[in-house]
Structure formats: C-alpha cells, structure tokens
Amino acid sequence: MPTDEPRPTDEELIARWRDQPAPLLPLLHAFHDRDEHLSDEALRKVAHALRLPLADLFGTVTFYHHFARTPGGKSAPRVCDGPVCRTRGCDRLLEELEGATPMPCAGRCDDPVPVIVGDRYLVGTPGEPLAERPTPLPAPNPGGAEECCFAEIRTPGRATLAGYRASGGYAGLERARAMSQDELLDLLEASGLAGRGGAGFPTARKWRAVRDAGGPDDPRTIVCNADEGEPGCFKDRVLMDHDPHAVIEGMAIAAHATGAELGFLYLRYEYPHTQAILERAIEEARDLLGDFRLLVRRGAGAYICGEETSLLNSLEGRHPFPRNKPPYPVTHGYEQTPTAVNNVETLASVPPIVARGADWYAGLGLGEHRGTKLISLSGDVRRPGNYEVPIGLPLRTLLEDWAGGPLEGRRIQAVTMAGLSGGFLGARDLDATLDEPCLRGKGSFLGAGGIMVFDDTRDMVEVARQAMSFFAHESCGKCFPCRIGTQRLTERLAGVAGPADPEAWRAEVRAIGHTMSQVSACGLGIAAPLVTESLLDLFPDQVDAHLAKR
Ligand SMILES: Cc1cc2nc3c(=O)[nH]c(=O)nc-3n(C[C@H](O)[C@H](O)[C@H](O)COP(=O)(O)O)c2cc1C
Ligand code: SF4
C-alpha cells in the first residue's frame, strides 16, 4: 500500500479496532493493508489481542481466498474466472499478468474481465493494459416499465446526500418515523416485498419476528448482506456504487421497524472501491441515522459467507461455517441478538415503497405478481447489464426485446437462473415468465436474479463442469454430501471418473445429486445438483458426445 502516511504501529492498529463491534475482520484487513500480507507475527498479535486460539484464527484466515500469507501477496493480480469471463479470455489474462491467480466470479459480468490489484478494481482485456472504469449504470429500461430501485439511480449526483435528497431520498425514512412499527410493518406486508437475496422470505414477516423477539429493550441488529458472491449477479454492486443512500435509508427504516440500534453492511472483498463509497455515504447521513449505528465490514473472499448464518459467524470472528437452523437469526443472530439479515436490493426497495405506498409497489408486477426484480443479465446477448423487470415479465421479452437477443447468426441454447444456483433453462423454456411459481414449475428458481446466456457455440457439458467446479471450490466442507458430492460431480463432468456404461454414468450422476439435494445442510449443496439435473434433461446429445469422448 504505497502511501506517504507513516505506517501505523501494531499497537495503533490493535487499539483502533479491539473494542469495536465485530473487530476481527477489520483488524485483519488493517494488518493486511499495511503489510500487503498477513504474517505469522500479525496473526499472533491479533489472536492475543482478541483472545482467540491461534490455531482457530489460522484456520479461519486460510479459509478465505483473499488474505495473502506471503509478502506482497495482496498486490498480486486476481483475475475473475467466472462463467462469463471464461468466454472473454480470462485464461489469456492469467498468462499475461505476472503473478496473477484466478478468483471466483467478481461480479462484473456486464463489463468483463474484472481484475483486482491491491484495492483497485480494474477491467482486463487480453492484449491491452488494465483499465479503470466505473461501474456501468443500468441502461434505461427499454420496455418503459415503471421501476422501483432503479427509478432514480441514473439521476446525476444521486450517490451524494444532496443529490439523493434532491431526488426524493430520505422521504421514506421520514414517513416511516411518523408511523408506528405496526403501521410500517403492515404497509410492507401489503406491498408483498419478499427477500431479493435468493430465498424470497417475506420481508415484513422477518422484521416482525425480530421486533417481537426478546424483551423490548434487548439489543437488535440489522445486517445488510452485500456479499453478492453468486456467479452472474452484479445488481447489488450497481445499487451500492450509484445509490448508496438508498441502501442506508432502507437499513434505517429496518432499524425503526424492529427497534435495532446496530447495523452492519457486510461487503464482499471483491468490491474494494465500494467500501469507500459506503463509508462516505454513512458519514454524510450520520445526523439522519440518529441512534442507529451503522458499520461496514469487509469480507475476505468466500461464497459461503453470503449464506446468512455463515455471514454472521464471519462477522463475529468465528469460522464461517453455516450454523444449524433453528434457531434462526431473527431470534439468535449477531452475537445471539434478534437480527434481520437482508439483501442490498431488498433494503433499497424499502424507501420508495414506504414513500409511495404498498399499492403502488404491488401494482408494478404483472398479472397477480407484485413488485419488481433486478436481473443481472450477461453472456451471449447483445446488451448485457442490470435490468429492473416487473415480476412476471416473459423471459423472452427480456432477452430479445430488452437486451437485443443473441449475437448475429447465433441462437440461444441455454440460460442459467439464480446465477448458477438455479441450473439451466433451455431454448424450449424461453416462454417462461420471471416469477417464482413459473420457474419452480420448470425445476428452477429466480433467486438473486442472475441470468447468464449461452449461445449455440458453447459446450454445455464444459459450462456445467465449470459451474460444478465453482461449487466444489466454494463448498465450506462442513457436511459430507456437499463436500464430496460436488467433487465427484466435477470429476464426472470432466470425463475422468464414473462408470464406463453411459446409462450407469447418468444414473450415478443423478444419484449423487439426489443425495446432495436431500441431505446437504445449506442451500449450496441443495442447489448445486440442479446444474447436472438440467444438463442431463436439456442436453442429452451433448452429454452422449462427452461420454463417447472419454
Ligand atoms: C450459499 C449461499 C449463498 C448466498 N449468498 C447470498 C448473497 O451473496 N447475498 C444475499 O443477499 N443472500 C445470499 N444468500 C441468501 C441468504 O442466506 C439470505 O437468505 C438473504 O441474505 C436474506 O435476505 P433477503 O431476505 O433480503 O433476501 C445465500 C444463500 C446461500 C445458501
Ligand atoms: S451444504 Fe456445502 S456449503 Fe452448505 S454447509 Fe454443507 S458443506 Fe458447507
């Protein structure tokens, strides 16, 4: 970290963080930033300062992808090798950039290939110098459908407090504070807002449970899940980079609805530039937040930390395994306090809903569906980017009318759903509508809203192998079926394992997937087999060709 400022001493770093809430991650980052790696000496000091067993701390630190353990390691380039970046030359970049290592999807599939060097978030194109480009704004919605989260995001100056207020910001918080908690929760319930991070849990029900847990004066916590680790998802990045006050206002309204006085924004490591944007916005909003204390905590690279209980363990400085549920975070969350963990998009939806009313928001959906959903669209389509769609919009309308369809002379053969977690839909499914009932009927789900498009030049077995290898890499290893199952499926898709007889091969792949989906402890192990299931169902010819080649 070359800078003219004197390097802080160990004692100064420790004194700054030791007594703060959730101190482990910021303290580790402070040493990592100062020394460009985490030395054994630094780990010993942190363990001593926070009274953590050194062996436990070592296990936790090495679980994360991005804490470098060798001198200078923090500045070595990390190149995204997610599904879209693999089609955009990330392998060549890995060869061209000295000391580069691959990292899982870094959430810039609309403008690939992201490369992180130290705390710089750059874009790489093979054969060209790395470029510094701001997060692309969403293009104006070509369908003319009314938006909620994106309605004002393109307004110049929106990321500043003045610009945010000038475009209607903080009116929702003002209105919320004039309401009782019950009135506010009733309004949100009537809007139909459900979680946008993947599981779709009704937001009002979650907040009511937090409000009702424990005694009236017990501490409560709001956590914004900004981990956005799902490959193909980059909608939370655009919200935080261009509309940070919307997220903060949503959190402040959540605090009012539940009685919470402490909040965390848990930000993924791979958005280094976003931390400064959020911290500046929190500082600007300090007077508006009143008693609500809001802190940013930066992760260190682990997809599983997006799972809410794993995130809470990470925040608390524990090993970030998912917790057994129940109890749920609404009663036993951060430091055992009742906690609402909500996605960035969910929280950013709240201020306009409160300001404009439940009927307005509910009416944005098509047919019987309520509200909107942000979709991160990428891959083999002419206009990738973030789109805010009315829930219930036909997938074909999004792909062809809004995003311009496939490239000249190509045909869409598959799209992923929920990033990678929803597996594939095929060309025959393009008449689906973007809502959970329809997509679940097709064996998939909308989840966080990442859709990656693959045209007819792509080898779908290879795409599936890469997807499964991501899940194998990111499986936290806590439970056997997921830890082993993702590895076994990756080997089979790579053509290096499994029965010689094609029928037996298929049966075995389905059996492994079935076991994983039935007994895995969290959503990663439950969802990963959707990749192989949908591959077998949609692309039997490509699977046959793969088997014949072994
Ligand atoms: C493996 C895994 C990864 C997840 N990653 C994220 C994530 O990056 N961001 C997110 O908001 N939710 C993620 N979730 C869902 C969270 O556990 C949780 O449901 C969500 O943050 C709740 O917020 P919401 O109700 O606003 O959607 C993930 C779940 C699983 C199982
Ligand atoms: S399902 Fe996978 S990621 Fe989830 S707890 Fe088990 S091993 Fe960890």
Side-chain angles (χ1 to χ4, degrees), residues 135-147:
T135 290
L137 272 168
N141 157 352
E146 191 172 357
E147 297 170 316

Side-chain angles (χ1 to χ4, degrees), residues 331-349:
T331 55
H332 296 73
Y334 172 71
E335 301 283 10
Q336 300 298 307
T337 61
T339 301
V341 181
N342 279 115
N343 173 255
V344 170
E345 180 188 345
T346 315
L347 291 161
S349 303

Side-chain angles (χ1 to χ4, degrees), residues 17-281:
W17 290 110
R18 185 172 39 203
D19 299 323
Q20 297 274 330
L24 178 63
L25 281 170
L27 189 47
L28 290 173
H29 278 299
F31 277 97
H32 195 240
D33 291 346
R34 189 195 66 178
D35 301 340
E36 300 240 315
H37 77 296
L38 279 175
S39 63
D40 289 347
E41 182 62 13
L43 290 191
R44 264 196 295 277
K45 294 219 155 117
V46 172
H48 180 74
L50 301 185
R51 299 184 183 190
L52 296 169
L54 183 58
D56 288 0
L57 180 62
F58 182 83
T60 302
V61 162
T62 52
F63 181 85
Y64 296 110
H65 307 323
H66 289 299
F67 280 137
R69 296 275 292 122
T70 49
K74 188 187 163 199
S75 315
R78 291 120 212 249
V79 177
C80 175
D81 74 344
V84 172
C85 291
R86 281 187 188 256
T87 68
R88 301 292 190 274
C90 69
D91 289 338
R92 268 188 63 197
L93 276 173
L94 279 161
E95 283 168 19
E96 286 172 15
L97 298 170
E98 200 185 329
T101 50
M103 66 178 161
C105 182
R108 201 178 174 113
C109 323
D110 50 343
D111 185 22
V113 173
V115 179
I116 297 176
V117 183
D119 284 330
R120 297 172 69 208
Y121 188 64
L122 304 162
V123 181
T125 308
E128 292 179 18
L130 295 175
E132 197 143 13
R133 285 204 290 267
T135 290
L137 272 168
N141 157 352
E146 191 172 357
E147 297 170 316
C148 171
C149 290
F150 283 171
E152 297 292 343
I153 198 168
R154 306 171 195 90
T155 307
R158 176 78 175 173
T160 64
L161 179 62
Y164 186 68
R165 295 204 84 154
S167 48
Y170 288 109
L173 179 60
E174 209 172 299
R175 182 154 187 234
R177 284 188 177 148
M179 296 165 109
S180 70
Q181 289 179 328
D182 279 320
E183 285 166 344
L184 177 57
L185 291 166
D186 289 348
L187 183 156
L188 271 182
E189 192 169 330
S191 76
L193 180 67
R196 300 302 188 219
F201 192 83
T203 306
R205 211 178 331 148
K206 185 179 286 188
W207 291 6
R208 212 183 286 277
V210 172
R211 196 270 314 255
D212 293 344
D217 297 326
D218 287 351
R220 293 172 173 74
T221 314
I222 307 296
V223 176
C224 172
N225 186 342
D227 200 54
E228 192 154 64
E230 184 70 40
C233 285
F234 43 91
K235 66 186 176 77
D236 295 341
R237 174 169 55 83
V238 75
L239 286 171
M240 291 185 285
D241 285 2
H242 291 295
D243 211 359
H245 283 284
V247 186
I248 294 168
E249 186 180 358
M251 292 187 76
I253 294 174
H256 175 67
T258 56
E261 293 192 345
L262 179 63
F264 294 102
L265 264 146
Y266 185 95
L267 176 68
R268 73 179 304 199
Y269 180 92
E270 292 83 349
Y271 294 166
H273 58 293
T274 307
Q275 181 168 1
I277 295 173
L278 292 171
E279 283 176 343
R280 195 193 59 229

